[in-house]
């Protein structure tokens, strides 16, 4: 959701079906879901953070363990970046730069 909120043009316009029922827009660009061990996810996060042309959203084990946003923000504020265990990441930017980071990863099955 963060990616769609922060990067314009990812979500297509609403569309009506043949019966005139409106359907909310969905992502208008391919969004492959790739698989990687945590160490590789962490490496992708570090590389994306160093690349000024990429926008990325890291999802941490800390976030995954929280039940409310207040809990998340409180715990995150008390955790150093180096101590965040990334379990997922969304990367957006020039295709060649994204491919360089994740092009060798397999699709999640």
């Amino acid at each position: 959701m963060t990616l769609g909120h922060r990067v314009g043009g990812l979500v297509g316009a609403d569309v009506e079906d043949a019966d005139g029922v409106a359907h909310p827009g969905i992502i208008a660009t391919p969004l492959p879901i790739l698989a990687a061990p945590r160490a590789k996810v962490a490496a992708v996060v570090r590389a994306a953070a160093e690349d000024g042309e990429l926008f990325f959203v890291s999802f941490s084990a800390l976030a995954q363990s929280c039940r409310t946003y207040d809990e998340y923000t409180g715990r995150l504020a008390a955790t150093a970046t180096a101590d965040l265990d990334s379990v997922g990441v969304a990367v957006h930017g020039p295709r060649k730069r994204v491919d360089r980071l994740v092009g060798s990863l397999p699709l999640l099955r």
Side-chain angles (χ1 to χ4, degrees):
M1 291 180 66
T2 303
L3 195 63
H5 177 72
R6 298 276 180 97
V7 178
L10 287 183
V11 179
D14 294 353
V15 62
E16 289 185 3
D17 62 25
D19 296 321
V21 175
H23 299 268
I26 61 171
I27 191 159
T29 186
L31 181 66
I33 309 298
L34 307 174
R38 281 189 179 183
K40 179 62 177 177
V41 173
V44 169
V45 169
R46 285 191 302 274
E50 293 172 0
D51 188 320
E53 291 189 50
L54 296 177
F55 175 76
F56 74 99
V57 181
S58 176
F59 190 71
S60 65
L62 182 148
Q64 197 172 38
S65 71
C66 294
R67 300 191 72 173
T68 66
Y69 198 71
D70 285 342
E71 179 185 2
Y72 168 69
T73 58
R75 289 180 56 196
L76 185 62
T79 305
T81 302
D83 294 333
L84 293 173
D85 181 19
S86 294
V87 296
V89 61
V91 182
H92 180 270
R95 182 170 185 147
K96 286 183 179 183
R97 296 182 93 82
V98 173
D99 284 350
R100 190 176 323 145
L101 287 180
V102 300
S104 65
L105 299 177
L107 286 171
L108 181 64
R109 302 211 181 260

